[in-house]
Amino acid sequence: MNFSRRSTVLVSVLDWGLGHASRTAVIVRTLLSRGCRVVLAGSGRSLALLTSEFQGLQVVSLPSFSPRLSGGRWLWAEVMAQTPVFLLSVLFERWRTEALVRRLAPDLVLSDNRYGVRSSRCRSIFVTHQLSPMVSPSAPRWLNGLLAKCLGLLVGRFDACLVPDFALGGLSGSLSYPSCIRIPLHRIGILSRLAYVVPMPAGRVDWLGITSGPQPQRRRFADSLIRRFEALPGRRVVVCADSAVDGHIARGGVEVVGLASPAMLKGLILAAEHIVCRSGYSTLMDLAALGRLDDSIELVPTPGQAEQVYLARRVKEIVAGEHLCI
């Protein structure tokens, strides 16, 4: 995408885990390097991550819909039950974005998975790898098709869509096939903010656990990793991605880290003999960028999330050489 040095870009990220903010940080870095003025609009942990990494940028509040999903067999029913709230949030985002555009006069609105963050007053671009989303393995078959059509209508109101992948059918596989999308698509490659930082020396790490995603599943996964690592030999580290965990603590001989800086996380990933983590797309892009998508990685999909089940299976096939290598 081409931007002039004086372009003002309003950037907003979905506040559901830190993955969306992590990958959008690469886009923000690129915009700043081209002399653009960037305004961050958002809320919660995702906005906190971006503001900590890009200090001095103008920040405006734009609350994000963040569903609380317990996971499991009936995840699809939870998603359906929260659909009215989601649609209302899209309308609120749209109204609030128009107000921000009138006040800030940006040349471009860039939205990572926020369907209502667009404007009729300037060019609006959507960022996603979920063009053909999946709901849950236990969901009725018709539900995935209906969801894809509904989200396709919402995405279709943008001017263009950026897909973080290196090719059609790349790391994201069938998830990024544009079955219901009619706007221009631009594949912009793997996005990982870890690729741009110098790793912090971590020493030897035998087992590394990395949590991600929304609560309460993130905390449950961290607890399960700690219990599992307690019975293993060597140095064991669990990164919780949770500000409620104060710095470094030890539980049963396991080092538990609350929030790891990009440099620390990169150092841990490069040093680890074995890595156990979720199969969220942003996590996979980080591992791919660091050359760690190999047989030392154990991917544990978030319960009930069909997309992560699919991505874990796809990475296994990539590692086995059954698909295009990254």
Side-chain angles (χ1 to χ4, degrees), residues 93-112:
E93 288 178 347
R94 180 82 165 84
W95 171 78
R96 179 66 175 139
T97 301
E98 289 291 10
L100 289 174
V101 168
R102 287 194 296 270
R103 177 160 63 90
L104 301 172
D107 302 286
L108 175 72
V109 171
L110 188 73
S111 169
D112 188 321

PDB file of all heavy atoms in Angstrom, residues 93-112:
ATOM      1  N   GLU A  93     -19.200   1.128  17.105  1.00  0.00           N
ATOM      2  CA  GLU A  93     -17.890   1.414  16.527  1.00  0.00           C
ATOM      3  C   GLU A  93     -18.018   2.326  15.310  1.00  0.00           C
ATOM      4  O   GLU A  93     -17.230   3.263  15.131  1.00  0.00           O
ATOM      5  CB  GLU A  93     -17.201   0.112  16.106  1.00  0.00           C
ATOM      6  CG  GLU A  93     -16.703  -0.742  17.256  1.00  0.00           C
ATOM      7  CD  GLU A  93     -16.088  -2.033  16.778  1.00  0.00           C
ATOM      8  OE1 GLU A  93     -16.262  -2.383  15.590  1.00  0.00           O
ATOM      9  OE2 GLU A  93     -15.438  -2.714  17.589  1.00  0.00           O
ATOM     10  N   ARG A  94     -18.996   2.039  14.485  1.00  0.00           N
ATOM     11  CA  ARG A  94     -19.207   2.839  13.275  1.00  0.00           C
ATOM     12  C   ARG A  94     -19.533   4.289  13.633  1.00  0.00           C
ATOM     13  O   ARG A  94     -18.954   5.231  13.069  1.00  0.00           O
ATOM     14  CB  ARG A  94     -20.362   2.222  12.480  1.00  0.00           C
ATOM     15  CG  ARG A  94     -20.694   2.944  11.182  1.00  0.00           C
ATOM     16  CD  ARG A  94     -19.752   2.518  10.070  1.00  0.00           C
ATOM     17  NE  ARG A  94     -20.273   2.934   8.788  1.00  0.00           N
ATOM     18  CZ  ARG A  94     -20.116   4.140   8.252  1.00  0.00           C
ATOM     19  NH1 ARG A  94     -19.435   5.063   8.891  1.00  0.00           N
ATOM     20  NH2 ARG A  94     -20.624   4.421   7.075  1.00  0.00           N
ATOM     21  N   TRP A  95     -20.456   4.471  14.576  1.00  0.00           N
ATOM     22  CA  TRP A  95     -20.832   5.831  14.998  1.00  0.00           C
ATOM     23  C   TRP A  95     -19.649   6.554  15.623  1.00  0.00           C
ATOM     24  O   TRP A  95     -19.373   7.716  15.305  1.00  0.00           O
ATOM     25  CB  TRP A  95     -21.979   5.731  15.999  1.00  0.00           C
ATOM     26  CG  TRP A  95     -22.312   7.032  16.662  1.00  0.00           C
ATOM     27  CD1 TRP A  95     -23.029   8.069  16.139  1.00  0.00           C
ATOM     28  CD2 TRP A  95     -21.909   7.453  17.983  1.00  0.00           C
ATOM     29  NE1 TRP A  95     -23.107   9.109  17.036  1.00  0.00           N
ATOM     30  CE2 TRP A  95     -22.433   8.762  18.176  1.00  0.00           C
ATOM     31  CE3 TRP A  95     -21.186   6.844  19.001  1.00  0.00           C
ATOM     32  CZ2 TRP A  95     -22.219   9.456  19.366  1.00  0.00           C
ATOM     33  CZ3 TRP A  95     -20.981   7.552  20.184  1.00  0.00           C
ATOM     34  CH2 TRP A  95     -21.494   8.836  20.355  1.00  0.00           C
ATOM     35  N   ARG A  96     -18.918   5.860  16.485  1.00  0.00           N
ATOM     36  CA  ARG A  96     -17.789   6.472  17.169  1.00  0.00           C
ATOM     37  C   ARG A  96     -16.649   6.788  16.181  1.00  0.00           C
ATOM     38  O   ARG A  96     -15.998   7.835  16.287  1.00  0.00           O
ATOM     39  CB  ARG A  96     -17.291   5.529  18.263  1.00  0.00           C
ATOM     40  CG  ARG A  96     -16.091   5.998  19.057  1.00  0.00           C
ATOM     41  CD  ARG A  96     -16.387   7.210  19.876  1.00  0.00           C
ATOM     42  NE  ARG A  96     -15.245   7.550  20.718  1.00  0.00           N
ATOM     43  CZ  ARG A  96     -14.824   8.792  20.914  1.00  0.00           C
ATOM     44  NH1 ARG A  96     -15.474   9.801  20.369  1.00  0.00           N
ATOM     45  NH2 ARG A  96     -13.785   9.022  21.688  1.00  0.00           N
ATOM     46  N   THR A  97     -16.434   5.895  15.215  1.00  0.00           N
ATOM     47  CA  THR A  97     -15.375   6.128  14.230  1.00  0.00           C
ATOM     48  C   THR A  97     -15.667   7.350  13.382  1.00  0.00           C
ATOM     49  O   THR A  97     -14.773   8.154  13.095  1.00  0.00           O
ATOM     50  CB  THR A  97     -15.199   4.893  13.326  1.00  0.00           C
ATOM     51  OG1 THR A  97     -14.879   3.752  14.133  1.00  0.00           O
ATOM     52  CG2 THR A  97     -14.087   5.111  12.315  1.00  0.00           C
ATOM     53  N   GLU A  98     -16.924   7.506  12.960  1.00  0.00           N
ATOM     54  CA  GLU A  98     -17.282   8.682  12.167  1.00  0.00           C
ATOM     55  C   GLU A  98     -17.021   9.970  12.954  1.00  0.00           C
ATOM     56  O   GLU A  98     -16.559  10.971  12.401  1.00  0.00           O
ATOM     57  CB  GLU A  98     -18.744   8.614  11.736  1.00  0.00           C
ATOM     58  CG  GLU A  98     -19.032   7.560  10.676  1.00  0.00           C
ATOM     59  CD  GLU A  98     -18.434   7.888   9.307  1.00  0.00           C
ATOM     60  OE1 GLU A  98     -17.641   8.832   9.190  1.00  0.00           O
ATOM     61  OE2 GLU A  98     -18.768   7.165   8.354  1.00  0.00           O
ATOM     62  N   ALA A  99     -17.322   9.925  14.261  1.00  0.00           N
ATOM     63  CA  ALA A  99     -17.056  11.105  15.091  1.00  0.00           C
ATOM     64  C   ALA A  99     -15.555  11.391  15.159  1.00  0.00           C
ATOM     65  O   ALA A  99     -15.124  12.555  15.094  1.00  0.00           O
ATOM     66  CB  ALA A  99     -17.627  10.896  16.491  1.00  0.00           C
ATOM     67  N   LEU A 100     -14.741  10.335  15.290  1.00  0.00           N
ATOM     68  CA  LEU A 100     -13.292  10.511  15.358  1.00  0.00           C
ATOM     69  C   LEU A 100     -12.743  11.033  14.025  1.00  0.00           C
ATOM     70  O   LEU A 100     -11.846  11.884  14.006  1.00  0.00           O
ATOM     71  CB  LEU A 100     -12.615   9.186  15.713  1.00  0.00           C
ATOM     72  CG  LEU A 100     -12.808   8.690  17.139  1.00  0.00           C
ATOM     73  CD1 LEU A 100     -12.204   7.291  17.306  1.00  0.00           C
ATOM     74  CD2 LEU A 100     -12.170   9.649  18.143  1.00  0.00           C
ATOM     75  N   VAL A 101     -13.293  10.529  12.927  1.00  0.00           N
ATOM     76  CA  VAL A 101     -12.820  10.966  11.611  1.00  0.00           C
ATOM     77  C   VAL A 101     -13.151  12.435  11.388  1.00  0.00           C
ATOM     78  O   VAL A 101     -12.337  13.200  10.835  1.00  0.00           O
ATOM     79  CB  VAL A 101     -13.430  10.080  10.502  1.00  0.00           C
ATOM     80  CG1 VAL A 101     -13.188  10.688   9.123  1.00  0.00           C
ATOM     81  CG2 VAL A 101     -12.837   8.670  10.562  1.00  0.00           C
ATOM     82  N   ARG A 102     -14.321  12.874  11.820  1.00  0.00           N
ATOM     83  CA  ARG A 102     -14.667  14.295  11.686  1.00  0.00           C
ATOM     84  C   ARG A 102     -13.706  15.170  12.488  1.00  0.00           C
ATOM     85  O   ARG A 102     -13.337  16.263  12.054  1.00  0.00           O
ATOM     86  CB  ARG A 102     -16.102  14.532  12.142  1.00  0.00           C
ATOM     87  CG  ARG A 102     -17.166  14.026  11.182  1.00  0.00           C
ATOM     88  CD  ARG A 102     -18.540  14.593  11.528  1.00  0.00           C
ATOM     89  NE  ARG A 102     -18.983  14.133  12.845  1.00  0.00           N
ATOM     90  CZ  ARG A 102     -19.685  13.036  13.044  1.00  0.00           C
ATOM     91  NH1 ARG A 102     -20.017  12.258  12.017  1.00  0.00           N
ATOM     92  NH2 ARG A 102     -20.068  12.688  14.267  1.00  0.00           N
ATOM     93  N   ARG A 103     -13.278  14.649  13.654  1.00  0.00           N
ATOM     94  CA  ARG A 103     -12.412  15.449  14.530  1.00  0.00           C
ATOM     95  C   ARG A 103     -10.945  15.389  14.109  1.00  0.00           C
ATOM     96  O   ARG A 103     -10.237  16.404  14.155  1.00  0.00           O
ATOM     97  CB  ARG A 103     -12.553  14.974  15.975  1.00  0.00           C
ATOM     98  CG  ARG A 103     -11.638  15.676  16.968  1.00  0.00           C
ATOM     99  CD  ARG A 103     -12.144  15.521  18.381  1.00  0.00           C
ATOM    100  NE  ARG A 103     -12.162  14.150  18.830  1.00  0.00           N
ATOM    101  CZ  ARG A 103     -11.142  13.550  19.454  1.00  0.00           C
ATOM    102  NH1 ARG A 103     -10.018  14.217  19.682  1.00  0.00           N
ATOM    103  NH2 ARG A 103     -11.248  12.308  19.869  1.00  0.00           N
ATOM    104  N   LEU A 104     -10.478  14.213  13.696  1.00  0.00           N
ATOM    105  CA  LEU A 104      -9.051  14.017  13.434  1.00  0.00           C
ATOM    106  C   LEU A 104      -8.681  14.156  11.966  1.00  0.00           C
ATOM    107  O   LEU A 104      -7.505  14.330  11.642  1.00  0.00           O
ATOM    108  CB  LEU A 104      -8.621  12.633  13.929  1.00  0.00           C
ATOM    109  CG  LEU A 104      -8.837  12.359  15.422  1.00  0.00           C
ATOM    110  CD1 LEU A 104      -8.563  10.888  15.738  1.00  0.00           C
ATOM    111  CD2 LEU A 104      -7.946  13.246  16.270  1.00  0.00           C
ATOM    112  N   ALA A 105      -9.680  14.026  11.069  1.00  0.00           N
ATOM    113  CA  ALA A 105      -9.464  14.147   9.621  1.00  0.00           C
ATOM    114  C   ALA A 105      -8.339  13.256   9.102  1.00  0.00           C
ATOM    115  O   ALA A 105      -7.406  13.733   8.436  1.00  0.00           O
ATOM    116  CB  ALA A 105      -9.181  15.608   9.255  1.00  0.00           C
ATOM    117  N   PRO A 106      -8.378  11.946   9.378  1.00  0.00           N
ATOM    118  CA  PRO A 106      -7.335  11.059   8.870  1.00  0.00           C
ATOM    119  C   PRO A 106      -7.509  10.822   7.366  1.00  0.00           C
ATOM    120  O   PRO A 106      -8.588  10.987   6.803  1.00  0.00           O
ATOM    121  CB  PRO A 106      -7.571   9.767   9.647  1.00  0.00           C
ATOM    122  CG  PRO A 106      -9.041   9.760   9.909  1.00  0.00           C
ATOM    123  CD  PRO A 106      -9.394  11.214  10.147  1.00  0.00           C
ATOM    124  N   ASP A 107      -6.422  10.419   6.724  1.00  0.00           N
ATOM    125  CA  ASP A 107      -6.477  10.044   5.314  1.00  0.00           C
ATOM    126  C   ASP A 107      -6.873   8.583   5.144  1.00  0.00           C
ATOM    127  O   ASP A 107      -7.312   8.174   4.074  1.00  0.00           O
ATOM    128  CB  ASP A 107      -5.098  10.270   4.669  1.00  0.00           C
ATOM    129  CG  ASP A 107      -4.644  11.706   4.807  1.00  0.00           C
ATOM    130  OD1 ASP A 107      -5.200  12.563   4.092  1.00  0.00           O
ATOM    131  OD2 ASP A 107      -3.762  11.969   5.653  1.00  0.00           O
ATOM    132  N   LEU A 108      -6.699   7.801   6.217  1.00  0.00           N
ATOM    133  CA  LEU A 108      -6.959   6.363   6.142  1.00  0.00           C
ATOM    134  C   LEU A 108      -7.358   5.841   7.505  1.00  0.00           C
ATOM    135  O   LEU A 108      -6.825   6.268   8.532  1.00  0.00           O
ATOM    136  CB  LEU A 108      -5.689   5.634   5.670  1.00  0.00           C
ATOM    137  CG  LEU A 108      -5.727   4.106   5.651  1.00  0.00           C
ATOM    138  CD1 LEU A 108      -6.613   3.620   4.507  1.00  0.00           C
ATOM    139  CD2 LEU A 108      -4.317   3.540   5.503  1.00  0.00           C
ATOM    140  N   VAL A 109      -8.314   4.907   7.509  1.00  0.00           N
ATOM    141  CA  VAL A 109      -8.657   4.163   8.715  1.00  0.00           C
ATOM    142  C   VAL A 109      -8.192   2.725   8.503  1.00  0.00           C
ATOM    143  O   VAL A 109      -8.527   2.097   7.485  1.00  0.00           O
ATOM    144  CB  VAL A 109     -10.172   4.194   8.989  1.00  0.00           C
ATOM    145  CG1 VAL A 109     -10.534   3.238  10.125  1.00  0.00           C
ATOM    146  CG2 VAL A 109     -10.627   5.603   9.330  1.00  0.00           C
ATOM    147  N   LEU A 110      -7.428   2.201   9.453  1.00  0.00           N
ATOM    148  CA  LEU A 110      -6.918   0.833   9.375  1.00  0.00           C
ATOM    149  C   LEU A 110      -7.468   0.046  10.557  1.00  0.00           C
ATOM    150  O   LEU A 110      -7.206   0.375  11.712  1.00  0.00           O
ATOM    151  CB  LEU A 110      -5.385   0.836   9.413  1.00  0.00           C
ATOM    152  CG  LEU A 110      -4.696  -0.499   9.142  1.00  0.00           C
ATOM    153  CD1 LEU A 110      -4.805  -0.861   7.671  1.00  0.00           C
ATOM    154  CD2 LEU A 110      -3.232  -0.436   9.548  1.00  0.00           C
ATOM    155  N   SER A 111      -8.252  -0.990  10.280  1.00  0.00           N
ATOM    156  CA  SER A 111      -8.951  -1.741  11.322  1.00  0.00           C
ATOM    157  C   SER A 111      -8.528  -3.198  11.306  1.00  0.00           C
ATOM    158  O   SER A 111      -8.684  -3.892  10.295  1.00  0.00           O
ATOM    159  CB  SER A 111     -10.465  -1.644  11.098  1.00  0.00           C
ATOM    160  OG  SER A 111     -11.165  -2.557  11.919  1.00  0.00           O
ATOM    161  N   ASP A 112      -7.989  -3.669  12.430  1.00  0.00           N
ATOM    162  CA  ASP A 112      -7.652  -5.093  12.558  1.00  0.00           C
ATOM    163  C   ASP A 112      -8.811  -5.801  13.243  1.00  0.00           C
ATOM    164  O   ASP A 112      -8.993  -5.721  14.456  1.00  0.00           O
ATOM    165  CB  ASP A 112      -6.367  -5.268  13.367  1.00  0.00           C
ATOM    166  CG  ASP A 112      -5.869  -6.717  13.359  1.00  0.00           C
ATOM    167  OD1 ASP A 112      -6.706  -7.635  13.433  1.00  0.00           O
ATOM    168  OD2 ASP A 112      -4.648  -6.923  13.271  1.00  0.00           O
TER     169      ASP A 112
END
